[in-house]
mmCIF file of all heavy atoms in Angstrom:
data_model
loop_
_atom_site.group_PDB
_atom_site.id
_atom_site.type_symbol
_atom_site.label_atom_id
_atom_site.label_comp_id
_atom_site.label_asym_id
_atom_site.label_seq_id
_atom_site.Cartn_x
_atom_site.Cartn_y
_atom_site.Cartn_z
ATOM 1 N N MET T 1 -2.850 17.460 6.595
ATOM 2 C CA MET T 1 -3.494 16.823 5.460
ATOM 3 C C MET T 1 -2.907 17.357 4.137
ATOM 4 O O MET T 1 -2.797 16.576 3.195
ATOM 5 C CB MET T 1 -5.016 17.101 5.544
ATOM 6 C CG MET T 1 -5.795 16.323 4.547
ATOM 7 S SD MET T 1 -5.782 14.541 4.995
ATOM 8 C CE MET T 1 -6.937 13.950 3.821
ATOM 9 N N ALA T 2 -2.613 18.627 4.086
ATOM 10 C CA ALA T 2 -2.030 19.176 2.860
ATOM 11 C C ALA T 2 -0.687 18.499 2.547
ATOM 12 O O ALA T 2 -0.358 18.368 1.371
ATOM 13 C CB ALA T 2 -1.854 20.665 2.989
ATOM 14 N N ARG T 3 0.060 18.162 3.555
ATOM 15 C CA ARG T 3 1.352 17.552 3.339
ATOM 16 C C ARG T 3 1.220 16.201 2.690
ATOM 17 O O ARG T 3 1.977 15.788 1.834
ATOM 18 C CB ARG T 3 2.083 17.411 4.660
ATOM 19 C CG ARG T 3 3.479 16.996 4.553
ATOM 20 C CD ARG T 3 4.160 17.061 5.866
ATOM 21 N NE ARG T 3 5.574 16.791 5.716
ATOM 22 C CZ ARG T 3 6.452 16.788 6.724
ATOM 23 N NH1 ARG T 3 6.023 16.995 7.899
ATOM 24 N NH2 ARG T 3 7.718 16.544 6.485
ATOM 25 N N GLN T 4 0.199 15.430 3.048
ATOM 26 C CA GLN T 4 -0.047 14.092 2.464
ATOM 27 C C GLN T 4 -0.487 14.261 1.003
ATOM 28 O O GLN T 4 -0.082 13.472 0.167
ATOM 29 C CB GLN T 4 -1.124 13.354 3.231
ATOM 30 C CG GLN T 4 -0.643 12.893 4.593
ATOM 31 C CD GLN T 4 -1.746 12.212 5.400
ATOM 32 O OE1 GLN T 4 -2.893 12.260 5.006
ATOM 33 N NE2 GLN T 4 -1.391 11.644 6.497
ATOM 34 N N SER T 5 -1.286 15.232 0.683
ATOM 35 C CA SER T 5 -1.742 15.377 -0.695
ATOM 36 C C SER T 5 -0.581 15.763 -1.593
ATOM 37 O O SER T 5 -0.560 15.377 -2.760
ATOM 38 C CB SER T 5 -2.867 16.423 -0.772
ATOM 39 O OG SER T 5 -2.410 17.681 -0.402
ATOM 40 N N THR T 6 0.351 16.546 -1.092
ATOM 41 C CA THR T 6 1.490 16.903 -1.948
ATOM 42 C C THR T 6 2.399 15.664 -2.153
ATOM 43 O O THR T 6 2.977 15.514 -3.221
ATOM 44 C CB THR T 6 2.314 18.038 -1.349
ATOM 45 O OG1 THR T 6 2.744 17.678 -0.071
ATOM 46 C CG2 THR T 6 1.497 19.297 -1.289
ATOM 47 N N ALA T 7 2.488 14.804 -1.129
ATOM 48 C CA ALA T 7 3.284 13.574 -1.344
ATOM 49 C C ALA T 7 2.642 12.732 -2.365
ATOM 50 O O ALA T 7 3.340 12.063 -3.189
ATOM 51 C CB ALA T 7 3.458 12.872 0.019
ATOM 52 N N TRP T 8 1.338 12.605 -2.340
ATOM 53 C CA TRP T 8 0.596 11.742 -3.289
ATOM 54 C C TRP T 8 0.788 12.357 -4.731
ATOM 55 O O TRP T 8 0.973 11.603 -5.660
ATOM 56 C CB TRP T 8 -0.864 11.705 -2.926
ATOM 57 C CG TRP T 8 -1.706 10.873 -3.868
ATOM 58 C CD1 TRP T 8 -2.457 11.299 -4.872
ATOM 59 C CD2 TRP T 8 -1.746 9.413 -3.881
ATOM 60 N NE1 TRP T 8 -3.060 10.245 -5.529
ATOM 61 C CE2 TRP T 8 -2.644 9.089 -4.909
ATOM 62 C CE3 TRP T 8 -1.213 8.413 -3.127
ATOM 63 C CZ2 TRP T 8 -2.984 7.761 -5.225
ATOM 64 C CZ3 TRP T 8 -1.502 7.120 -3.410
ATOM 65 C CH2 TRP T 8 -2.409 6.788 -4.445
ATOM 66 N N SER T 9 0.778 13.642 -4.869
ATOM 67 C CA SER T 9 0.897 14.231 -6.194
ATOM 68 C C SER T 9 2.329 14.124 -6.718
ATOM 69 O O SER T 9 2.519 14.128 -7.922
ATOM 70 C CB SER T 9 0.502 15.731 -6.140
ATOM 71 O OG SER T 9 1.355 16.470 -5.328
ATOM 72 N N ARG T 10 3.320 13.934 -5.824
ATOM 73 C CA ARG T 10 4.720 13.730 -6.269
ATOM 74 C C ARG T 10 4.953 12.356 -6.750
ATOM 75 O O ARG T 10 5.971 12.079 -7.427
ATOM 76 C CB ARG T 10 5.680 14.110 -5.219
ATOM 77 C CG ARG T 10 5.847 15.614 -4.974
ATOM 78 C CD ARG T 10 6.871 15.863 -3.974
ATOM 79 N NE ARG T 10 6.527 15.185 -2.737
ATOM 80 C CZ ARG T 10 6.925 15.516 -1.554
ATOM 81 N NH1 ARG T 10 7.797 16.494 -1.425
ATOM 82 N NH2 ARG T 10 6.542 14.865 -0.489
ATOM 83 N N MET T 11 4.085 11.398 -6.401
ATOM 84 C CA MET T 11 4.296 9.998 -6.821
ATOM 85 C C MET T 11 3.985 9.850 -8.282
ATOM 86 O O MET T 11 3.130 10.519 -8.805
ATOM 87 C CB MET T 11 3.376 9.066 -5.967
ATOM 88 C CG MET T 11 3.766 9.016 -4.525
ATOM 89 S SD MET T 11 2.562 8.104 -3.498
ATOM 90 C CE MET T 11 2.502 6.551 -4.305
ATOM 91 N N SER T 12 4.714 8.881 -8.883
ATOM 92 C CA SER T 12 4.448 8.606 -10.307
ATOM 93 C C SER T 12 3.162 7.802 -10.415
ATOM 94 O O SER T 12 2.652 7.253 -9.406
ATOM 95 C CB SER T 12 5.630 7.849 -10.902
ATOM 96 O OG SER T 12 5.691 6.547 -10.355
ATOM 97 N N ALA T 13 2.634 7.670 -11.596
ATOM 98 C CA ALA T 13 1.425 6.883 -11.825
ATOM 99 C C ALA T 13 1.633 5.417 -11.461
ATOM 100 O O ALA T 13 0.749 4.798 -10.909
ATOM 101 C CB ALA T 13 0.985 7.007 -13.269
ATOM 102 N N ARG T 14 2.815 4.921 -11.724
ATOM 103 C CA ARG T 14 3.099 3.505 -11.404
ATOM 104 C C ARG T 14 3.108 3.336 -9.895
ATOM 105 O O ARG T 14 2.567 2.302 -9.370
ATOM 106 C CB ARG T 14 4.464 3.169 -11.956
ATOM 107 C CG ARG T 14 4.864 1.743 -11.713
ATOM 108 C CD ARG T 14 6.182 1.454 -12.376
ATOM 109 N NE ARG T 14 6.600 0.056 -12.143
ATOM 110 C CZ ARG T 14 7.730 -0.398 -12.469
ATOM 111 N NH1 ARG T 14 8.650 0.324 -13.075
ATOM 112 N NH2 ARG T 14 8.079 -1.659 -12.192
ATOM 113 N N GLN T 15 3.676 4.246 -9.124
ATOM 114 C CA GLN T 15 3.659 4.146 -7.684
ATOM 115 C C GLN T 15 2.267 4.227 -7.171
ATOM 116 O O GLN T 15 1.918 3.494 -6.231
ATOM 117 C CB GLN T 15 4.552 5.294 -7.062
ATOM 118 C CG GLN T 15 6.005 5.086 -7.264
ATOM 119 C CD GLN T 15 6.765 6.312 -6.798
ATOM 120 O OE1 GLN T 15 6.341 7.415 -6.967
ATOM 121 N NE2 GLN T 15 7.909 6.065 -6.201
ATOM 122 N N ARG T 16 1.450 5.105 -7.704
ATOM 123 C CA ARG T 16 0.047 5.161 -7.266
ATOM 124 C C ARG T 16 -0.708 3.923 -7.500
ATOM 125 O O ARG T 16 -1.530 3.518 -6.664
ATOM 126 C CB ARG T 16 -0.641 6.376 -7.984
ATOM 127 C CG ARG T 16 -0.251 7.695 -7.463
ATOM 128 C CD ARG T 16 -1.098 8.781 -8.038
ATOM 129 N NE ARG T 16 -0.314 9.980 -8.167
ATOM 130 C CZ ARG T 16 -0.210 10.741 -9.222
ATOM 131 N NH1 ARG T 16 -0.834 10.417 -10.328
ATOM 132 N NH2 ARG T 16 0.607 11.784 -9.226
ATOM 133 N N ARG T 17 -0.488 3.289 -8.641
ATOM 134 C CA ARG T 17 -1.155 1.992 -8.931
ATOM 135 C C ARG T 17 -0.721 0.925 -7.973
ATOM 136 O O ARG T 17 -1.574 0.190 -7.434
ATOM 137 C CB ARG T 17 -0.789 1.526 -10.356
ATOM 138 C CG ARG T 17 -1.685 2.001 -11.405
ATOM 139 C CD ARG T 17 -1.575 1.204 -12.730
ATOM 140 N NE ARG T 17 -0.189 1.090 -13.144
ATOM 141 C CZ ARG T 17 0.493 1.947 -13.908
ATOM 142 N NH1 ARG T 17 -0.123 2.991 -14.328
ATOM 143 N NH2 ARG T 17 1.725 1.686 -14.253
ATOM 144 N N VAL T 18 0.586 0.865 -7.644
ATOM 145 C CA VAL T 18 1.051 -0.143 -6.737
ATOM 146 C C VAL T 18 0.485 0.104 -5.329
ATOM 147 O O VAL T 18 0.062 -0.862 -4.633
ATOM 148 C CB VAL T 18 2.572 -0.216 -6.701
ATOM 149 C CG1 VAL T 18 3.103 -1.088 -5.599
ATOM 150 C CG2 VAL T 18 3.102 -0.668 -8.029
ATOM 151 N N VAL T 19 0.423 1.325 -4.867
ATOM 152 C CA VAL T 19 -0.157 1.642 -3.612
ATOM 153 C C VAL T 19 -1.615 1.338 -3.550
ATOM 154 O O VAL T 19 -2.144 0.853 -2.571
ATOM 155 C CB VAL T 19 0.104 3.136 -3.219
ATOM 156 C CG1 VAL T 19 -0.636 3.517 -1.982
ATOM 157 C CG2 VAL T 19 1.614 3.317 -2.964
ATOM 158 N N GLY T 20 -2.320 1.567 -4.648
ATOM 159 C CA GLY T 20 -3.748 1.232 -4.744
ATOM 160 C C GLY T 20 -3.987 -0.284 -4.612
ATOM 161 O O GLY T 20 -4.902 -0.718 -3.921
ATOM 162 N N VAL T 21 -3.128 -1.054 -5.290
ATOM 163 C CA VAL T 21 -3.227 -2.483 -5.191
ATOM 164 C C VAL T 21 -2.914 -2.942 -3.766
ATOM 165 O O VAL T 21 -3.565 -3.840 -3.213
ATOM 166 C CB VAL T 21 -2.261 -3.141 -6.218
ATOM 167 C CG1 VAL T 21 -2.120 -4.640 -5.966
ATOM 168 C CG2 VAL T 21 -2.793 -2.945 -7.641
ATOM 169 N N ALA T 22 -1.922 -2.326 -3.133
ATOM 170 C CA ALA T 22 -1.587 -2.651 -1.761
ATOM 171 C C ALA T 22 -2.754 -2.364 -0.805
ATOM 172 O O ALA T 22 -3.027 -3.096 0.131
ATOM 173 C CB ALA T 22 -0.314 -1.956 -1.317
ATOM 174 N N LEU T 23 -3.431 -1.217 -1.041
ATOM 175 C CA LEU T 23 -4.579 -0.888 -0.209
ATOM 176 C C LEU T 23 -5.725 -1.900 -0.398
ATOM 177 O O LEU T 23 -6.382 -2.306 0.519
ATOM 178 C CB LEU T 23 -5.092 0.497 -0.537
ATOM 179 C CG LEU T 23 -4.177 1.625 -0.030
ATOM 180 C CD1 LEU T 23 -4.707 2.988 -0.507
ATOM 181 C CD2 LEU T 23 -4.028 1.607 1.456
ATOM 182 N N GLY T 24 -5.918 -2.362 -1.648
ATOM 183 C CA GLY T 24 -6.876 -3.423 -1.868
ATOM 184 C C GLY T 24 -6.516 -4.706 -1.179
ATOM 185 O O GLY T 24 -7.368 -5.409 -0.622
ATOM 186 N N LEU T 25 -5.249 -5.033 -1.222
ATOM 187 C CA LEU T 25 -4.752 -6.247 -0.541
ATOM 188 C C LEU T 25 -4.952 -6.082 0.977
ATOM 189 O O LEU T 25 -5.293 -7.079 1.656
ATOM 190 C CB LEU T 25 -3.294 -6.504 -0.848
ATOM 191 C CG LEU T 25 -2.680 -7.751 -0.367
ATOM 192 C CD1 LEU T 25 -3.361 -8.957 -0.941
ATOM 193 C CD2 LEU T 25 -1.183 -7.746 -0.768
ATOM 194 N N ALA T 26 -4.754 -4.919 1.513
ATOM 195 C CA ALA T 26 -4.958 -4.694 2.946
ATOM 196 C C ALA T 26 -6.438 -4.849 3.296
ATOM 197 O O ALA T 26 -6.767 -5.420 4.380
ATOM 198 C CB ALA T 26 -4.489 -3.310 3.314
ATOM 199 N N VAL T 27 -7.356 -4.412 2.471
ATOM 200 C CA VAL T 27 -8.741 -4.594 2.732
ATOM 201 C C VAL T 27 -9.118 -6.067 2.739
ATOM 202 O O VAL T 27 -9.870 -6.570 3.571
ATOM 203 C CB VAL T 27 -9.603 -3.779 1.722
ATOM 204 C CG1 VAL T 27 -11.064 -4.206 1.769
ATOM 205 C CG2 VAL T 27 -9.422 -2.327 1.951
ATOM 206 N N CYS T 28 -8.522 -6.827 1.815
ATOM 207 C CA CYS T 28 -8.720 -8.296 1.769
ATOM 208 C C CYS T 28 -8.202 -8.889 3.039
ATOM 209 O O CYS T 28 -8.763 -9.850 3.603
ATOM 210 C CB CYS T 28 -8.034 -8.898 0.579
ATOM 211 S SG CYS T 28 -8.805 -8.500 -1.012
ATOM 212 N N GLY T 29 -7.069 -8.375 3.526
ATOM 213 C CA GLY T 29 -6.507 -8.940 4.825
ATOM 214 C C GLY T 29 -7.436 -8.619 5.954
ATOM 215 O O GLY T 29 -7.590 -9.494 6.850
ATOM 216 N N VAL T 30 -8.115 -7.463 5.984
ATOM 217 C CA VAL T 30 -9.010 -7.215 7.066
ATOM 218 C C VAL T 30 -10.228 -8.153 6.997
ATOM 219 O O VAL T 30 -10.672 -8.697 8.028
ATOM 220 C CB VAL T 30 -9.514 -5.725 6.979
ATOM 221 C CG1 VAL T 30 -10.669 -5.475 7.891
ATOM 222 C CG2 VAL T 30 -8.356 -4.788 7.301
ATOM 223 N N VAL T 31 -10.698 -8.399 5.805
ATOM 224 C CA VAL T 31 -11.818 -9.367 5.660
ATOM 225 C C VAL T 31 -11.408 -10.743 6.104
ATOM 226 O O VAL T 31 -12.136 -11.463 6.777
ATOM 227 C CB VAL T 31 -12.329 -9.334 4.209
ATOM 228 C CG1 VAL T 31 -13.317 -10.490 3.931
ATOM 229 C CG2 VAL T 31 -12.968 -7.996 3.849
ATOM 230 N N LEU T 32 -10.213 -11.161 5.676
ATOM 231 C CA LEU T 32 -9.711 -12.470 6.083
ATOM 232 C C LEU T 32 -9.514 -12.534 7.625
ATOM 233 O O LEU T 32 -9.835 -13.580 8.246
ATOM 234 C CB LEU T 32 -8.404 -12.817 5.422
ATOM 235 C CG LEU T 32 -8.464 -13.181 3.945
ATOM 236 C CD1 LEU T 32 -7.054 -13.280 3.372
ATOM 237 C CD2 LEU T 32 -9.171 -14.508 3.807
ATOM 238 N N ALA T 33 -9.061 -11.458 8.202
ATOM 239 C CA ALA T 33 -8.863 -11.431 9.700
ATOM 240 C C ALA T 33 -10.210 -11.600 10.426
ATOM 241 O O ALA T 33 -10.303 -12.235 11.467
ATOM 242 C CB ALA T 33 -8.196 -10.178 10.097
ATOM 243 N N LEU T 34 -11.240 -10.966 9.851
ATOM 244 C CA LEU T 34 -12.547 -11.031 10.487
ATOM 245 C C LEU T 34 -13.302 -12.327 10.231
ATOM 246 O O LEU T 34 -14.017 -12.829 11.089
ATOM 247 C CB LEU T 34 -13.416 -9.842 10.078
ATOM 248 C CG LEU T 34 -12.889 -8.462 10.502
ATOM 249 C CD1 LEU T 34 -13.721 -7.355 9.901
ATOM 250 C CD2 LEU T 34 -12.917 -8.360 12.023
ATOM 251 N N ALA T 35 -13.106 -12.853 9.026
ATOM 252 C CA ALA T 35 -13.912 -14.022 8.635
ATOM 253 C C ALA T 35 -13.201 -15.358 8.861
ATOM 254 O O ALA T 35 -13.882 -16.363 9.185
ATOM 255 C CB ALA T 35 -14.298 -13.885 7.169
ATOM 256 N N VAL T 36 -11.896 -15.415 8.631
ATOM 257 C CA VAL T 36 -11.226 -16.728 8.614
ATOM 258 C C VAL T 36 -10.337 -16.895 9.848
ATOM 259 O O VAL T 36 -10.641 -17.693 10.727
ATOM 260 C CB VAL T 36 -10.389 -16.883 7.314
ATOM 261 C CG1 VAL T 36 -9.649 -18.204 7.357
ATOM 262 C CG2 VAL T 36 -11.267 -16.825 6.117
ATOM 263 N N ASP T 37 -9.221 -16.165 9.899
ATOM 264 C CA ASP T 37 -8.241 -16.327 10.935
ATOM 265 C C ASP T 37 -7.509 -15.001 11.181
ATOM 266 O O ASP T 37 -6.981 -14.420 10.186
ATOM 267 C CB ASP T 37 -7.244 -17.415 10.552
ATOM 268 C CG ASP T 37 -6.255 -17.737 11.601
ATOM 269 O OD1 ASP T 37 -6.561 -17.498 12.782
ATOM 270 O OD2 ASP T 37 -5.176 -18.246 11.243
ATOM 271 N N PRO T 38 -7.563 -14.516 12.378
ATOM 272 C CA PRO T 38 -6.875 -13.229 12.635
ATOM 273 C C PRO T 38 -5.400 -13.238 12.316
ATOM 274 O O PRO T 38 -4.848 -12.223 11.807
ATOM 275 C CB PRO T 38 -7.120 -12.991 14.121
ATOM 276 C CG PRO T 38 -8.293 -13.801 14.464
ATOM 277 C CD PRO T 38 -8.261 -14.980 13.550
ATOM 278 N N ALA T 39 -4.732 -14.314 12.557
ATOM 279 C CA ALA T 39 -3.244 -14.378 12.312
ATOM 280 C C ALA T 39 -2.985 -14.315 10.799
ATOM 281 O O ALA T 39 -2.085 -13.592 10.323
ATOM 282 C CB ALA T 39 -2.639 -15.630 12.893
ATOM 283 N N PHE T 40 -3.797 -15.030 9.996
ATOM 284 C CA PHE T 40 -3.583 -15.039 8.541
ATOM 285 C C PHE T 40 -3.939 -13.652 7.954
ATOM 286 O O PHE T 40 -3.205 -13.129 7.099
ATOM 287 C CB PHE T 40 -4.480 -16.128 7.894
ATOM 288 C CG PHE T 40 -4.271 -16.233 6.404
ATOM 289 C CD1 PHE T 40 -3.063 -16.663 5.898
ATOM 290 C CD2 PHE T 40 -5.262 -15.898 5.539
ATOM 291 C CE1 PHE T 40 -2.880 -16.716 4.527
ATOM 292 C CE2 PHE T 40 -5.105 -16.020 4.182
ATOM 293 C CZ PHE T 40 -3.937 -16.432 3.683
ATOM 294 N N GLY T 41 -4.981 -13.027 8.432
ATOM 295 C CA GLY T 41 -5.317 -11.675 8.033
ATOM 296 C C GLY T 41 -4.258 -10.704 8.377
ATOM 297 O O GLY T 41 -3.925 -9.807 7.583
ATOM 298 N N ALA T 42 -3.671 -10.829 9.564
ATOM 299 C CA ALA T 42 -2.594 -9.921 9.945
ATOM 300 C C ALA T 42 -1.351 -10.094 9.039
ATOM 301 O O ALA T 42 -0.657 -9.095 8.703
ATOM 302 C CB ALA T 42 -2.211 -10.191 11.354
ATOM 303 N N MET T 43 -1.073 -11.324 8.629
ATOM 304 C CA MET T 43 0.080 -11.560 7.699
ATOM 305 C C MET T 43 -0.201 -10.875 6.379
ATOM 306 O O MET T 43 0.687 -10.261 5.737
ATOM 307 C CB MET T 43 0.280 -13.017 7.479
ATOM 308 C CG MET T 43 0.916 -13.716 8.656
ATOM 309 S SD MET T 43 1.470 -15.403 8.350
ATOM 310 C CE MET T 43 -0.076 -16.219 7.982
ATOM 311 N N VAL T 44 -1.466 -10.957 5.870
ATOM 312 C CA VAL T 44 -1.781 -10.324 4.597
ATOM 313 C C VAL T 44 -1.722 -8.802 4.707
ATOM 314 O O VAL T 44 -1.195 -8.148 3.780
ATOM 315 C CB VAL T 44 -3.164 -10.803 4.081
ATOM 316 C CG1 VAL T 44 -3.649 -10.029 2.887
ATOM 317 C CG2 VAL T 44 -3.182 -12.317 3.834
ATOM 318 N N ILE T 45 -2.189 -8.215 5.798
ATOM 319 C CA ILE T 45 -2.096 -6.819 6.018
ATOM 320 C C ILE T 45 -0.634 -6.369 6.056
ATOM 321 O O ILE T 45 -0.296 -5.306 5.511
ATOM 322 C CB ILE T 45 -2.897 -6.407 7.277
ATOM 323 C CG1 ILE T 45 -4.387 -6.672 7.106
ATOM 324 C CG2 ILE T 45 -2.644 -4.969 7.645
ATOM 325 C CD1 ILE T 45 -5.191 -6.542 8.321
ATOM 326 N N SER T 46 0.184 -7.152 6.755
ATOM 327 C CA SER T 46 1.608 -6.784 6.841
ATOM 328 C C SER T 46 2.251 -6.816 5.436
ATOM 329 O O SER T 46 3.052 -5.949 5.143
ATOM 330 C CB SER T 46 2.340 -7.751 7.767
ATOM 331 O OG SER T 46 1.850 -7.658 9.063
ATOM 332 N N ALA T 47 1.940 -7.837 4.693
ATOM 333 C CA ALA T 47 2.493 -7.897 3.311
ATOM 334 C C ALA T 47 2.054 -6.710 2.478
ATOM 335 O O ALA T 47 2.830 -6.111 1.717
ATOM 336 C CB ALA T 47 2.103 -9.223 2.677
ATOM 337 N N ALA T 48 0.765 -6.320 2.634
ATOM 338 C CA ALA T 48 0.298 -5.165 1.887
ATOM 339 C C ALA T 48 0.988 -3.874 2.253
ATOM 340 O O ALA T 48 1.348 -3.054 1.409
ATOM 341 C CB ALA T 48 -1.219 -5.048 2.102
ATOM 342 N N SER T 49 1.258 -3.698 3.550
ATOM 343 C CA SER T 49 1.924 -2.517 3.972
ATOM 344 C C SER T 49 3.369 -2.452 3.538
ATOM 345 O O SER T 49 3.905 -1.445 3.114
ATOM 346 C CB SER T 49 1.847 -2.315 5.488
ATOM 347 O OG SER T 49 2.430 -3.366 6.130
ATOM 348 N N LEU T 50 4.016 -3.654 3.527
ATOM 349 C CA LEU T 50 5.372 -3.724 2.973
ATOM 350 C C LEU T 50 5.381 -3.341 1.497
ATOM 351 O O LEU T 50 6.316 -2.662 1.048
ATOM 352 C CB LEU T 50 5.955 -5.088 3.179
ATOM 353 C CG LEU T 50 6.663 -5.336 4.475
ATOM 354 C CD1 LEU T 50 7.109 -6.777 4.609
ATOM 355 C CD2 LEU T 50 7.890 -4.428 4.579
ATOM 356 N N VAL T 51 4.440 -3.845 0.721
ATOM 357 C CA VAL T 51 4.355 -3.572 -0.698
ATOM 358 C C VAL T 51 4.190 -2.041 -0.890
ATOM 359 O O VAL T 51 4.891 -1.463 -1.739
ATOM 360 C CB VAL T 51 3.200 -4.340 -1.367
ATOM 361 C CG1 VAL T 51 2.923 -3.748 -2.747
ATOM 362 C CG2 VAL T 51 3.546 -5.796 -1.446
ATOM 363 N N ALA T 52 3.357 -1.398 -0.162
ATOM 364 C CA ALA T 52 3.140 0.030 -0.294
ATOM 365 C C ALA T 52 4.407 0.807 0.043
ATOM 366 O O ALA T 52 4.785 1.718 -0.683
ATOM 367 C CB ALA T 52 1.987 0.485 0.588
ATOM 368 N N ILE T 53 5.043 0.449 1.153
ATOM 369 C CA ILE T 53 6.282 1.130 1.560
ATOM 370 C C ILE T 53 7.335 0.968 0.558
ATOM 371 O O ILE T 53 8.053 1.906 0.156
ATOM 372 C CB ILE T 53 6.718 0.680 2.951
ATOM 373 C CG1 ILE T 53 5.705 1.125 4.014
ATOM 374 C CG2 ILE T 53 8.136 1.157 3.274
ATOM 375 C CD1 ILE T 53 5.949 0.495 5.364
ATOM 376 N N LEU T 54 7.595 -0.251 0.081
ATOM 377 C CA LEU T 54 8.652 -0.482 -0.871
ATOM 378 C C LEU T 54 8.382 0.162 -2.221
ATOM 379 O O LEU T 54 9.289 0.597 -2.867
ATOM 380 C CB LEU T 54 8.869 -2.007 -1.018
ATOM 381 C CG LEU T 54 9.429 -2.704 0.254
ATOM 382 C CD1 LEU T 54 9.518 -4.205 0.026
ATOM 383 C CD2 LEU T 54 10.752 -2.158 0.662
ATOM 384 N N ALA T 55 7.118 0.224 -2.593
ATOM 385 C CA ALA T 55 6.800 0.917 -3.861
ATOM 386 C C ALA T 55 7.085 2.402 -3.786
ATOM 387 O O ALA T 55 7.598 2.954 -4.703
ATOM 388 C CB ALA T 55 5.302 0.682 -4.175
ATOM 389 N N VAL T 56 6.791 3.022 -2.683
ATOM 390 C CA VAL T 56 7.034 4.435 -2.537
ATOM 391 C C VAL T 56 8.544 4.731 -2.451
ATOM 392 O O VAL T 56 9.054 5.652 -3.050
ATOM 393 C CB VAL T 56 6.273 5.013 -1.326
ATOM 394 C CG1 VAL T 56 6.729 6.435 -1.020
ATOM 395 C CG2 VAL T 56 4.830 4.931 -1.508
ATOM 396 N N VAL T 57 9.271 3.900 -1.728
ATOM 397 C CA VAL T 57 10.683 4.143 -1.514
ATOM 398 C C VAL T 57 11.535 3.764 -2.683
ATOM 399 O O VAL T 57 12.467 4.523 -3.092
ATOM 400 C CB VAL T 57 11.137 3.416 -0.222
ATOM 401 C CG1 VAL T 57 12.651 3.529 -0.066
ATOM 402 C CG2 VAL T 57 10.431 3.981 0.986
ATOM 403 N N PHE T 58 11.301 2.606 -3.254
ATOM 404 C CA PHE T 58 12.281 2.024 -4.258
ATOM 405 C C PHE T 58 11.849 2.101 -5.700
ATOM 406 O O PHE T 58 12.677 1.846 -6.575
ATOM 407 C CB PHE T 58 12.593 0.591 -3.891
ATOM 408 C CG PHE T 58 13.346 0.455 -2.622
ATOM 409 C CD1 PHE T 58 12.779 -0.167 -1.521
ATOM 410 C CD2 PHE T 58 14.604 0.902 -2.514
ATOM 411 C CE1 PHE T 58 13.469 -0.310 -0.345
ATOM 412 C CE2 PHE T 58 15.364 0.785 -1.337
ATOM 413 C CZ PHE T 58 14.758 0.192 -0.252
ATOM 414 N N THR T 59 10.610 2.468 -6.010
ATOM 415 C CA THR T 59 10.245 2.559 -7.402
ATOM 416 C C THR T 59 10.691 3.912 -7.991
ATOM 417 O O THR T 59 10.344 4.954 -7.443
ATOM 418 C CB THR T 59 8.721 2.492 -7.558
ATOM 419 O OG1 THR T 59 8.246 1.313 -6.952
ATOM 420 C CG2 THR T 59 8.322 2.485 -9.013
ATOM 421 N N PRO T 60 11.554 3.885 -9.018
ATOM 422 C CA PRO T 60 12.013 5.177 -9.525
ATOM 423 C C PRO T 60 10.842 5.918 -10.226
ATOM 424 O O PRO T 60 9.989 5.252 -10.840
ATOM 425 C CB PRO T 60 13.086 4.762 -10.543
ATOM 426 C CG PRO T 60 12.771 3.362 -10.897
ATOM 427 C CD PRO T 60 12.060 2.765 -9.706
ATOM 428 N N PRO T 61 10.836 7.186 -10.216
ATOM 429 C CA PRO T 61 9.788 7.943 -10.909
ATOM 430 C C PRO T 61 9.889 7.744 -12.420
ATOM 431 O O PRO T 61 10.973 7.639 -12.949
ATOM 432 C CB PRO T 61 10.060 9.389 -10.522
ATOM 433 C CG PRO T 61 11.343 9.449 -9.878
ATOM 434 C CD PRO T 61 11.777 8.056 -9.470
ATOM 435 N N ALA T 62 8.756 7.640 -13.043
ATOM 436 C CA ALA T 62 8.702 7.405 -14.477
ATOM 437 C C ALA T 62 8.870 8.664 -15.283
ATOM 438 O O ALA T 62 8.652 9.734 -14.869
ATOM 439 C CB ALA T 62 7.389 6.756 -14.889
#
């Protein structure tokens, strides 16, 4: 757990915002998967995880 907290603290504020938005999008995907269509919810969750990964890897630190 300590290793994850240090990774979070090394992220820039912009990266943290993007990851926060991606987590919100993932929650929306879970709701869509449960309420509307599991396949559509899974697509939204996949997009959210891609956004989070790409934000951490490719966003330069500010």
Side-chain angles (χ1 to χ4, degrees):
M1 189 70 172
R3 190 174 187 181
Q4 291 176 349
S5 65
T6 58
W8 180 260
S9 64
R10 286 185 301 203
M11 291 171 58
S12 68
R14 182 178 179 186
Q15 287 173 322
R16 286 189 210 130
R17 269 194 315 269
V18 171
V19 169
V21 169
L23 289 175
L25 187 61
V27 169
C28 291
V30 169
V31 170
L32 285 171
L34 294 174
V36 178
D37 185 22
F40 184 64
M43 287 189 297
V44 173
I45 293 169
S46 297
S49 61
L50 270 176
V51 166
I53 291 168
L54 293 176
V56 171
V57 172
F58 292 113
T59 305

